[in-house]
Amino acid sequence: MNTKKIILRILIILLLLIPLTLIGILMSLDFNQYKPQLVAQVEALTGRKMTIDGELELSISLRPSIEVNGASLANAPWSSTEQMASIGQLSVQVELLPLLTGDVRVTRLIVRQADILLESSAEGEANWQFTKSDPGEAAQSAGVALPEVKDLLIEDARIRFLPAAGDAVEVSIDRLQASADSLGAPLALAFEGVYNGEPVVVEGELESLAAIVSGGDLRFDLQLALAGRKVQWQGEGKVADALSRITLERLQLSHGEDVLTGTLMFDRLAQPPLLEATLTTERIDLRSEKTEADKQDASRKLFSTASLPLDGLLGLAADVRFSSKQVLGNRYTLNDLDATLRLEDGVLTVQPLTLLAGGGPLTGSAVLNGSRSPAALDLRLKGKDVLLETLLRGSAKEAPMQQGSASIDIDLKARGNSVAALMGGLNGRLLISVGEGRINNRYLDLVGGDLLNQLFAALNPAAGSEPYTSMECAVVNLRFNNGVAEYDKRIAMLTRQMSIVSAGTIDLKNEQLDVGFKPMPRGDTKDLGITAGDLVNAARLKGPLSKPELGLDAKGTAKAGLTLYGAIATGGASLLLEGLWNKATADENPCRTALNGGGADSKSSKKGAGESGGLLDKLKGVFGN
């Protein structure tokens, strides 16, 4: 036989025998003999007791794995719970050949069904800060050293964080994969799970893991998808030991075309923990598209009854400066927003708060006191020369208003631990006064939806045939008492053709609306192209705030709140007499009446022998006597 063929056959047999021999050797080993050494090494590195309930089992493959079921690590002595971590299944994949020489090289660590608790104490201690003995001595006594892990996979796990003060944070991990060549090398990260009830997906790179574990320089580039929004988070900075202090510079947070930049510092050991930040952006885009599901669910409650995270205001101090050149909404545009937020002893203060709305300056402040229950809110905002054409343009090509310079005065207070409770306990005033402008009849729906279009068309018959309605003034002057505004002639609009006044009830507590609108023609209706048949007796909006219904109030019940009209019953007068009555009782300046407090003030301004005498005098003037 050819010598070369003999050598070739021997080599083939050896190649077949070597793997079988290795597998046989591995299967003959009892890995449970290494359990005490493994436990001793972990306890030396952490200063905590480790327990392994299950047996160490070997799974044979090209990359053998050692599996154990039921492992736990004790918590810090000051903690209220006994265990810091428990693991249902732990699998360690190792390289095959080094095992023959006793060298354990881990290629992958797999953790399933884990429950990990991270917490901090009022003294600034953290349970992930371990009391270490000399790991070198431990390794020598145990006969083995724990290797670095290059690839980590966690599935079906839960991590809870309990701060010394504030609400707990919970993260459920569906899948977390992290890999790095060493502790000092960049860490590739991929995460899918749930954060406080919201689905989260994270992908990107951290550099490096050593900075998070022991402190040092940190750089990161992460893509985050949370609550349907995708954000790119980049930055660099320094981390102190055990995450006691984090300082980030050149921080950049990107969402679409919006980019937030700045600096951030968090000192966990400060008393209370301190957050300082300076953040700025060119634009914040808050625009969104209304889905069919949103339209079908339009009857839902507007104000959430969920408790506000007020506990998060306690046990934390903050000083944050924020600025944005532009804020875009579906129905508004704001500019040069500048705010300073301070948090101390559970009180969040936003002051100063300045911005430009339609080119006009708005200044104000907001204070939310969460140190007591219910929380107290104080909001103040004043502005002048606010051009509604610019403010209300939003994402539309054409604004619903042209010109229309407005003044705004808001002074509101409320108490409550939810948005619904705050709105239900609202007290104070809301005053908006608008000067001359033109209403774009085609784009009213951009402000209030189709309902406003229908209402304005019903009150102003000329709106259907003309592209614009010339407006002389408009006023909204409301006072809220425990979430309810009952008003009479405090809302008014004066156009070239019509005088429109309103009365009714806005109930924020129960989210109900019941308001009436009374239109009255100005001048000769024939000259305006309006006949008596074109005019409605009154219009009424009634129902839930999220979806009120519009009705034409033929019986005039919506006008009951209009004091002047309700003083004398018409007794079914003819259309002609109704028209004469409207002319006789029409308010020449409804905007001024609204500014002065509405119907109540109009009563006190009456002089002479009485209201009936004054009205009769006006009727005489109509007939020319």
Side-chain angles (χ1 to χ4, degrees):
M1 181 180 291
N2 191 310
T3 304
K4 292 182 179 181
K5 290 184 178 181
I6 295 175
I7 295 174
L8 181 60
R9 289 182 180 180
I10 293 174
L11 290 175
I12 293 174
I13 293 173
L14 289 175
L15 290 174
L16 293 174
L17 287 176
I18 288 175
L20 294 175
T21 303
L22 291 175
I23 292 173
I25 293 174
L26 291 174
M27 293 182 66
S28 66
L29 293 176
D30 182 11
F31 283 90
N32 285 286
Q33 64 181 318
Y34 297 105
K35 187 190 296 187
Q37 289 92 331
L38 176 62
V39 169
Q41 182 67 25
V42 173
E43 292 181 353
L45 289 172
T46 64
R48 310 274 180 83
K49 180 181 178 180
M50 183 183 184
T51 302
I52 299 179
D53 296 327
E55 297 292 325
L56 296 179
E57 298 179 357
L58 176 65
S59 177
I60 300 298
S61 66
L62 293 178
R63 287 186 175 179
S65 63
I66 302 171
E67 296 182 2
V68 60
N69 295 318
S72 61
L73 182 66
N75 213 336
W78 48 264
S79 174
S80 59
T81 59
E82 183 177 345
Q83 292 183 346
M84 174 184 174
S86 62
I87 300 173
Q89 184 182 54
L90 178 67
S91 176
V92 182
Q93 290 186 357
V94 296
E95 294 184 9
L96 181 60
L97 292 177
L99 282 177
L100 297 178
T101 60
D103 184 12
V104 180
R105 297 182 184 178
V106 176
T107 58
R108 196 179 199 194
L109 178 64
I110 302 175
V111 178
R112 294 186 175 93
Q113 299 171 356
D115 194 340
I116 301 171
L117 176 65
L118 304 177
E119 58 182 326
S120 58
S121 68
E123 290 73 26
E125 298 173 293
N127 71 337
W128 61 87
Q129 291 175 300
F130 298 112
T131 304
K132 304 175 183 178
S133 63
D134 187 342
E137 293 180 2
Q140 187 175 1
S141 62
V144 63
L146 290 180
E148 293 183 356
V149 179
K150 295 184 179 180
D151 193 5
L152 170 66
L153 175 64
I154 299 177
E155 294 179 326
D156 189 20
R158 180 179 67 158
I159 299 177
R160 290 171 294 156
F161 176 63
L162 299 179
D167 294 334
V169 174
E170 181 172 321
V171 178
S172 298
I173 301 175
D174 296 331
R175 181 181 177 88
L176 169 63
Q177 187 160 8
S179 58
D181 293 335
S182 65
L183 285 177
L187 175 71
L189 182 68
F191 170 87
E192 294 181 16
V194 177
Y195 170 76
N196 278 3
E198 292 286 350
V200 181
V201 177
V202 180
E203 293 181 347
E205 187 175 272
L206 291 173
E207 188 179 352
S208 63
L209 184 61
I212 298 177
V213 175
S214 304
D217 295 333
L218 175 67
R219 287 184 292 274
F220 54 91
D221 186 354
L222 301 173
Q223 292 180 351
L224 171 68
L226 175 63
R229 292 181 174 269
K230 294 183 179 181
V231 176
Q232 186 81 19
W233 193 19
Q234 298 172 317
E236 58 184 75
K238 293 183 179 296
V239 179
D241 184 37
L243 301 180
S244 60
R245 185 183 177 96
I246 302 174
T247 304
L248 300 179
E249 301 173 353
R250 290 182 282 278
L251 177 66
Q252 180 172 300
L253 194 64
S254 305
H255 174 243
E257 298 180 4
D258 301 332
V259 181
L260 181 69
T261 60
T263 61
L264 182 146
M265 186 281 297
F266 179 68
D267 188 348
R268 187 175 59 82
L269 298 184
Q271 295 297 328
L274 175 63
L275 171 68
E276 294 180 348
T278 299
L279 304 171
T280 183
T281 181
E282 289 291 320
R283 186 187 77 166
I284 299 177
D285 191 349
L286 302 178
R287 294 173 296 182
S288 62
E289 294 184 4
K290 197 169 185 179
T291 64
E292 287 300 323
D294 293 332
K295 295 176 182 178
Q296 293 173 3
D297 196 23
S299 60
R300 70 187 187 283
K301 292 289 186 180
L302 290 181
F303 308 132
S304 173
T305 58
S307 297
L308 294 171
L310 299 173
D311 289 343
L313 302 180
L314 300 171
L316 179 68
D319 191 339
V320 178
R321 172 73 181 272
F322 177 79
S323 61
S324 176
K325 289 189 177 296
Q326 187 180 58
V327 180
L328 289 179
N330 286 47
R331 297 169 181 169
Y332 61 87
T333 301
L334 304 174
N335 298 97
D336 295 340
L337 171 65
D338 197 346
T340 298
L341 292 80
R342 292 184 176 89
L343 176 60
E344 186 175 5
D345 297 329
V347 180
L348 176 64
T349 302
V350 183
Q351 187 178 14
L353 171 62
T354 63
L355 65 149
L356 292 180
L362 280 176
T363 60
S365 64
V367 179
L368 178 62
N369 188 346
S371 64
R372 56 188 180 183
S373 184
L377 174 67
D378 189 336
L379 175 64
R380 299 182 183 184
L381 196 63
K382 283 191 175 184
K384 61 179 181 178
D385 300 326
V386 176
L387 193 61
L388 296 185
E389 179 179 2
T390 304
L391 173 64
L392 299 178
R393 185 178 301 277
S395 59
K397 295 181 180 179
E398 191 172 357
M401 173 78 70
Q402 291 188 354
Q403 299 177 334
S405 180
S407 63
I408 298 172
D409 188 357
I410 299 173
D411 188 351
L412 298 170
K413 293 179 174 62
R415 289 183 177 274
N417 293 333
S418 67
V419 175
L422 288 171
M423 299 304 291
L426 200 65
N427 292 282
R429 73 172 183 272
L430 169 66
L431 174 60
I432 302 175
S433 178
V434 187
E436 291 185 8
R438 292 203 307 171
I439 300 173
N440 191 332
N441 298 329
R442 295 169 297 178
Y443 285 90
L444 277 174
D445 59 323
L446 294 177
V447 178
D450 294 336
L451 186 64
L452 182 57
N453 236 345
Q454 297 171 28
L455 174 63
F456 193 68
L459 298 176
N460 182 24
S465 58
E466 298 180 5
Y468 297 97
T469 296
S470 295
M471 183 186 71
E472 295 183 15
C473 64
V475 172
V476 176
N477 183 8
L478 298 177
R479 289 190 174 274
F480 287 92
N481 183 18
N482 292 326
V484 178
E486 291 184 333
Y487 68 95
D488 178 20
K489 288 189 176 181
R490 284 178 172 265
I491 296 179
M493 177 185 292
L494 192 62
T495 71
R496 185 176 67 89
Q497 299 100 336
M498 306 294 297
S499 170
I500 302 172
V501 293
S502 175
T505 302
I506 301 173
D507 186 349
L508 301 181
K509 185 173 184 178
N510 298 302
E511 296 196 24
Q512 292 292 316
L513 191 68
D514 189 0
V515 298
F517 297 86
K518 173 62 181 176
M520 287 174 277
R522 299 182 66 193
D524 192 335
T525 57
K526 195 176 284 188
D527 295 339
L528 297 173
I530 301 173
T531 67
D534 292 328
L535 297 175
V536 298
N537 211 15
R540 186 176 189 176
L541 283 178
K542 187 176 182 180
L545 289 179
S546 58
K547 196 176 181 181
E549 295 182 354
L550 172 63
L552 302 183
D553 192 358
K555 295 183 178 179
T557 55
K559 296 180 294 184
L562 303 178
T563 308
L564 188 60
Y565 182 84
I568 301 175
T570 61
S574 67
L575 284 175
L576 176 62
L577 183 58
E578 174 77 5
L580 294 175
W581 176 267
N582 287 337
K583 289 182 181 181
T585 59
D587 191 340
E588 295 180 358
N589 197 331
C591 294
R592 182 173 58 191
T593 301
L595 282 172
N596 289 335
D601 291 312
S602 64
K603 275 184 178 180
S604 61
S605 65
K606 305 287 178 196
K607 293 182 180 180
E611 284 190 10
S612 58
L615 291 174
L616 288 174
D617 289 340
K618 290 184 178 182
L619 283 174
K620 290 178 182 179
V622 173
F623 287 103
N625 294 324

